[in-house]
Amino acid sequence: MARLDRPDCVENGEGAGAYNEDGIPVVDFDVLINGDSDQRLAAILHLGRACTQWGFFMVINHGIPESLQGATMDACRELFSLPTEEKSEYMEAGPMDPVRVGTGFNSTVDGAKYWREYLKMFAHPELHCPAKPAILREIATEYATRTRGLMLELTTAISKSLGLDGSRIAEALNLENCFQILVGNYYPPAGPDVGAIGMPTHSDHGLLTLLFQNGVDGLQVKHDSEWLLAKPIPGSFFVIVGDQLEIVSNGRYKAVLHHALVDGEQARMSFVSLIGPCLDAVVKPIPELARDAPQGAEFRGIRYRDYMEHQQSNKLKENAALDIVRVHHQILTREGSPNSSLINV
């Protein structure tokens, strides 16, 4: 991948790092990994600010070829174009089944219309993939491997940004056996249906999410109580902080709320690679971070498999899934709490 010289970025003060024209932080992965010691330190501090202030940033110079991104999108588009009968076995799958295909065109949930067709594939520790199109497995294997490596490197830097050893988060969450899922989204044009949206407001259940799109904007993130349309630098990825990073950081890094808008005239596609802890890992604040916090541990521990199943089995409602592990919420609702059986620690 050719190095980007950040033509769409500006430096915001000495050592403060780069931001795009809308103020979204931009992390240069090449500098983060290969810069000299001062450059790496500055990049780590910038990454920490991005996670604290936004829970969202763009990563450039990440080394994943745009040709692979394009091939991934093309294979996904080919799957969406298959006749329904060739996808039907995956269309009745439950939230924890390894392959799911769904259609949400013009379906009404809580009074809102969600226009979306999607493919979800568990990708690690084992890749699960539809048989058709035949090219999808090969492309998904390479894409999953390369994006997983990128997110694990980002996790190392995030761990350092919290004042921890670089391997601390990976060890706490058993990321050697991390869970990974790939998601392809197709949002058809809404036409005159102005009220249609692609995805409701939510936070992601995992640790980190990597997202790119087909050139049609639609991702909005919530920052300082305002909604901002995220416009990517060409060739970059959006990186979204998920619920598990909020838990393990003891609330220092916040899972960002976001949703997808549907364009009136153009189809939008996005492709997501998400990593989370090992499914059987009990996720809780890292003790060093909880010990240093004025209120102590902000979250109780929960097995990631249980958390994900809870979030995926209920209607998306912002970051409400985190309430099942928030300490203050548990104190207020301890008596007769319907979610108490999910808490492990």
Side-chain angles (χ1 to χ4, degrees), residues 115 272 305 333:
W115 290 59
V272 162
R305 182 190 304 273
T333 62

Side-chain angles (χ1 to χ4, degrees), residues 33-74:
I33 301 301
N34 299 316
D36 63 34
S37 58
D38 289 342
Q39 290 173 324
R40 293 197 306 273
L41 176 59
I44 288 170
L45 293 174
H46 180 50
L47 177 62
R49 285 190 295 269
C51 292
T52 301
Q53 298 170 5
W54 282 80
F56 180 76
F57 55 93
M58 278 183 272
V59 61
I60 61 173
N61 298 320
H62 44 70
I64 296 176
E66 289 185 58
S67 59
L68 179 58
Q69 292 175 292
T72 303
M73 194 74 84
D74 288 344

Side-chain angles (χ1 to χ4, degrees), residues 58-127:
M58 278 183 272
V59 61
I60 61 173
N61 298 320
H62 44 70
I64 296 176
E66 289 185 58
S67 59
L68 179 58
Q69 292 175 292
T72 303
M73 194 74 84
D74 288 344
C76 202
R77 186 181 292 110
E78 188 175 344
L79 179 134
F80 291 139
S81 68
L82 291 173
T84 300
E85 57 268 20
E86 296 191 35
K87 301 177 286 188
S88 59
E89 66 176 294
Y90 307 112
M91 297 182 73
E92 301 299 325
M96 297 301 288
D97 287 328
V99 179
R100 277 193 287 162
V101 174
T103 55
F105 296 167
N106 211 16
S107 61
T108 302
V109 181
D110 290 336
K113 295 178 179 179
Y114 303 144
W115 290 59
R116 175 190 180 220
E117 184 172 2
Y118 64 85
L119 162 68
K120 295 187 177 185
M121 303 181 290
F122 288 8
H124 193 264
E126 179 183 1
L127 177 69

